[in-house]
Amino acid sequence: MRAAAAWSIGNGRLASSSSSSSSCCFSPRTFTHLRLPSSFRFRVCRAFDSRSIPQDEQNHPSSQAAAMDVVTTYHDETKHGLQSYARGPHGLDWANQPNPFRRYVGARVVPLDHLPPSPPAEGLDPLYPAVFLEPQHPNPLTMASLSQFFYDSLALSAWKTAGRSTWSLRINPSSGNLHPTEGYVISAPLPGISESPFVAHYAPKEHALEVRAELPLNWWEELTQGLPEGSFLVGLTSIFWREAWKYGERAFRYCNHDVGHAIGAVSVAAAALGWECRLIDDLGTKELEIILGVSEKKPVSTNGTSKGHFPELEQEHADCLILLFPRQVPAEPKDDSGSSISEGQNESSQKVFLSDPLHSSTLISRLVGLEWKGKPNALSKEHVRWGIIYKVAEAARKPLTTKGAFPNLDHLQIDNSHQALSVYESLTARQVVHKRRSAVEMDGKYGMRKEVFYQILLKAMPSVDTKESLGGELQIPFRTLPWKAELHMALFVHTVVDLPKGIYFLVRNPSHEKILREAMRAEFEWEKPSGCPAVLPLYKLVSADCRSVAALLSCHQEIAGDSCFSLGMIAHFNNAIRDRGPWMYPRLFWESGVLGQLLYLEAHAVGVSATGIGCYFDDSGCSVLLNGNNF
């Protein structure tokens, strides 16, 4: 198991300056004040050795085995340790700080509507808890609804000034406030935007779309055949250089955390409009590059580290494609006589071309040679090329997969009988997403009520419904992802009222619990804490004052020990990558970013603050929990 990310939640001061390394980011783990029992000792976990992969893995091509080796080597070489930190710049080259705003010069610009959140009393926007529990009436896809969607997901949320410096904050968090993530929309014709189906880049500073290409109408209709009317696609890409400028070789980790943040932000903004989200994950990186217009690239050297003018480092890496569609409860199909059609009889009418990856790939290949408008602006005059970033990015490219597991389009609803909805402030979902900030310090005194703590963890579960799932994870935003949860939460509880200080563990995927118990220290108690809801798989492992340990493991940052609780995300790393392929590596970070965005929103919705901590000691954190080297 590997550390994937860390968090701190408590009563804190929000970011008012451009930031420490931990502000505006969701990332590695957060731990706090450590006085553990004498039986606990730090050790360095052995790095995962790709040669230990079982010999029965012969079904993977040798090229994939080599790619897996690159991925695991990258992960091990970019760990921070108590004795040394991962390789990065020795100082910040402010003259070459990347421009955080990509523009496509020459593309047609369509300004979007600015639609600020309304107060709860006006009843125009749903309250925060309602978005997660009740299906909102779906808004039709119009220029106005698309404007609100981007305004609530990837837009600027505030401008800050200190002295002569001014910078922006955004709805979606980013490590170091560097924002490597770019957003795109692919849609049917929309009055006010385009008379033809189109691909457009979202420009957050201007809150505008840059129309990069118009698509043939018959092509769009064939691609989206079988989808509900009003469906459209959102694409995300990353510019690694923006993160590498500050963080060096760890930038690939942080960029993918930020992709997860953006997926979470997209999911919540869509839910408030009555839209569902599903990640279309059978398509490969090649197909994404074509449909998003970022396929024409210059090669980047993967050898060593060099400084110079390398404009190819500003190219965009295609990450993912998300389907958005109006929520609906499909009517029971009838035959000509009015009788119900049994399951399996209606397969042809349920055909969705996006569920056939080979067909979708063929369609997308027809876009090769499409005319793309606009030239990307330059972001820096000079660059530092960290070759290992581009080596792992190449190794983690996803191939086209043909399992055809198209996500469930049915309406999904959550049972709220076990949730403590009274803990939330009277805020709309839109108000919460717009007020989200990263805390820069916490007071170490505030005590969080136990029911608030439990409610936050209930929302962090992919599914806590006692009913049978209709197609995977039920809770927003996790049902956007097509895989079962691979991340769990190790919690360092400091000031939760009526809850003993100590290390707790939240099992987010029940099928992992047995192997988790076997992998962790034998002396752990695995005791259900008092008052914990029966559906919440939370366990107290050990009672201890963990404040100093949490701070220590978070690169000596006091905020991890001054919070009500901090946490580290632990990934089911080896099996996830071995079973699916090296392309699953960035997706583990996506999951951590989605979870991190949810934790940010929950904290603000209950009246406290949160921050992600990008600097943490991977192996030392593992040594607090694990008794061996299998994870």
Side-chain angles (χ1 to χ4, degrees):
M1 213 156 274
R2 305 292 181 94
W7 273 84
S8 191
I9 296 180
N11 191 40
R13 182 170 65 84
L14 299 179
S16 60
S17 62
S18 82
S19 78
S20 65
S21 63
S22 65
S23 73
C24 295
C25 106
F26 161 31
S27 188
R29 38 168 152 204
T30 286
F31 299 86
T32 291
H33 226 64
L34 227 169
R35 296 190 189 97
L36 289 172
S38 59
S39 61
F40 280 76
R41 294 289 184 271
F42 280 110
R43 58 178 172 78
V44 176
C45 299
R46 176 178 60 83
F48 171 72
D49 184 349
S50 61
R51 292 172 296 180
S52 66
I53 297 173
Q55 290 299 313
D56 62 2
E57 183 149 12
Q58 296 303 317
N59 60 323
H60 291 286
S62 58
S63 58
Q64 181 160 311
M68 289 174 64
D69 186 58
V70 170
V71 164
T72 54
T73 298
Y74 170 82
H75 190 75
D76 288 333
E77 290 190 2
T78 56
K79 292 177 179 178
H80 289 322
L82 289 167
Q83 282 74 44
S84 63
Y85 288 81
R87 292 179 290 271
H90 296 294
L92 295 180
D93 180 6
W94 292 107
N96 288 299
Q97 181 179 14
N99 185 340
F101 301 112
R102 162 119 302 167
R103 295 299 308 273
Y104 280 93
V105 181
R108 180 168 62 90
V109 178
V110 181
L112 297 176
D113 301 330
H114 288 260
L115 301 168
S118 301
E122 294 186 10
L124 299 177
D125 300 326
L127 293 176
Y128 176 79
V131 164
F132 295 85
L133 298 171
E134 305 167 1
Q136 304 303 305
H137 181 75
N139 282 252
L141 180 59
T142 63
M143 182 175 177
S145 61
L146 191 64
S147 296
Q148 179 178 316
F149 166 74
F150 277 111
Y151 199 75
D152 294 348
S153 59
L154 303 179
L156 305 188
S157 58
W159 283 94
K160 297 288 186 179
T161 301
R164 292 183 295 176
S165 298
T166 301
W167 63 95
S168 62
L169 303 178
R170 301 196 197 185
I171 301 295
N172 53 311
S174 172
S175 45
N177 200 28
L178 298 171
H179 291 284
T181 310
E182 298 293 327
Y184 291 80
V185 59
I186 308 172
S187 172
L190 276 182
I193 298 178
S194 176
E195 296 180 355
S196 303
F198 63 93
V199 181
H201 170 255
Y202 177 63
K205 184 178 180 182
E206 293 75 16
H207 187 49
L209 294 179
E210 298 174 312
V211 180
R212 298 218 55 226
E214 295 184 345
L215 306 171
L217 180 60
N218 61 348
W219 180 93
W220 173 256
E221 290 176 343
E222 188 172 357
L223 182 74
T224 58
Q225 182 176 340
L227 293 178
E229 184 178 355
S231 300
F232 66 101
L233 299 166
V234 167
L236 299 176
T237 67
S238 295
I239 301 173
F240 300 141
W241 163 239
R242 285 202 183 120
E243 291 291 327
W245 169 79
K246 182 174 183 179
Y247 296 118
E249 293 185 351
R250 283 173 72 91
F252 185 76
R253 293 175 175 228
Y254 297 153
C255 286
N256 283 291
H257 278 298
D258 288 356
V259 171
H261 284 314
I263 293 172
V266 162
S267 301
V268 174
L273 286 160
W275 300 341
E276 289 277 6
C277 294
R278 301 288 186 272
L279 191 69
I280 306 299
D281 210 28
D282 275 340
L283 296 177
T285 305
K286 178 181 177 181
E287 286 75 28
L288 299 185
E289 290 172 339
I290 294 172
I291 200 170
L292 295 176
V294 295
S295 60
E296 294 185 9
K297 294 184 177 183
K298 294 181 180 180
V300 179
S301 173
T302 60
N303 297 322
T305 303
S306 300
K307 183 175 182 179
H309 179 59
F310 304 122
E312 63 271 18
L313 300 189
E314 299 180 2
Q315 297 171 147
E316 295 176 41
H317 172 84
D319 293 307
C320 64
L321 200 64
I322 306 167
L323 171 68
L324 288 84
F325 57 96
R327 287 186 178 181
Q328 57 180 359
V329 182
E332 186 179 20
K334 307 285 186 180
D335 61 20
D336 293 339
S337 66
S339 301
S340 297
I341 301 175
S342 62
E343 184 178 355
Q345 289 181 267
N346 198 40
E347 289 182 359
S348 61
S349 66
Q350 298 296 317
K351 177 72 172 179
V352 177
F353 270 127
L354 277 169
S355 67
D356 183 346
L358 288 175
H359 183 82
S360 299
S361 177
T362 301
L363 276 176
I364 291 171
S365 69
R366 296 179 194 169
L367 298 182
V368 174
L370 186 70
E371 182 182 6
W372 294 89
K373 303 291 188 180
K375 180 180 179 181
N377 61 329
L379 305 180
S380 299
K381 293 180 180 179
E382 288 191 331
H383 313 80
V384 176
R385 183 184 63 225
W386 302 87
I388 194 173
I389 295 173
Y390 303 93
K391 187 174 184 178
V392 71
E394 184 66 25
R397 285 176 64 89
K398 186 184 178 297
L400 179 73
T401 48
T402 57
K403 63 181 183 295
F406 189 74
N408 195 324
L409 300 186
D410 292 346
H411 161 66
L412 305 176
Q413 188 169 7
I414 302 299
D415 176 9
N416 67 3
S417 60
H418 47 261
Q419 301 214 29
L421 304 183
S422 62
V423 306
Y424 294 110
E425 297 189 341
S426 181
L427 297 169
T428 67
R430 300 191 67 213
Q431 285 179 313
V432 172
V433 300
H434 280 268
K435 71 180 290 190
R436 185 214 63 79
R437 303 287 188 274
S438 294
V440 294
E441 65 180 3
M442 295 186 180
D443 63 14
K445 299 176 182 178
Y446 175 81
M448 176 180 286
R449 290 182 294 141
K450 187 166 56 176
E451 57 268 32
V452 175
F453 176 67
Y454 289 148
Q455 177 60 24
I456 291 173
L457 298 187
L458 280 167
K459 293 289 287 294
M461 290 294 295
S463 180
V464 293
D465 202 320
T466 55
K467 302 170 186 174
E468 184 179 355
S469 169
L470 292 178
E473 315 299 15
L474 285 178
Q475 293 213 104
I476 296 169
F478 308 111
R479 67 195 194 199
T480 299
L481 304 177
W483 60 84
K484 293 289 187 180
E486 296 287 357
L487 297 186
H488 306 278
M489 295 163 58
L491 300 121
F492 294 77
V493 173
H494 313 310
T495 55
V496 176
V497 178
D498 296 329
L499 206 60
K501 294 181 174 67
I503 302 177
Y504 293 69
F505 201 86
L506 183 67
V507 180
R508 297 183 65 250
N509 184 335
S511 68
H512 294 177
E513 183 167 331
K514 182 176 183 294
I515 53 175
L516 279 166
R517 288 178 179 251
E518 293 172 350
M520 297 174 74
R521 292 176 175 268
E523 59 266 41
F524 282 155
E525 301 168 10
W526 291 92
E527 176 185 293
K528 194 86 169 177
S530 65
C532 181
V535 295
L536 185 64
L538 175 69
Y539 302 95
K540 179 169 69 70
L541 302 182
V542 63
S543 296
D545 185 339
C546 298
R547 288 172 295 174
S548 61
V549 154
L552 170 65
L553 296 179
S554 294
C555 299
H556 309 282
Q557 297 180 80
E558 293 181 357
I559 194 170
D562 290 339
S563 56
C564 297
F565 69 95
S566 60
L567 62 101
M569 299 183 191
I570 308 298
H572 198 202
F573 185 94
N574 299 347
N575 285 11
I577 293 178
R578 187 176 63 213
D579 293 346
R580 294 182 178 90
W583 51 268
M584 189 63 192
Y585 178 62
R587 283 156 177 78
L588 296 177
F589 288 104
W590 298 359
E591 185 179 335
S592 67
V594 171
L595 177 53
Q597 175 69 354
L598 186 279
L599 292 173
Y600 262 130
L601 299 183
E602 284 293 298
H604 284 81
V606 300
V608 294
S609 304
T611 193
I613 299 179
C615 187
Y616 65 104
F617 299 134
D618 302 59
D619 288 341
S620 297
C622 289
S623 74
V624 173
L625 300 171
L626 304 176
N627 61 15
N629 301 314
N630 294 327
F631 295 91

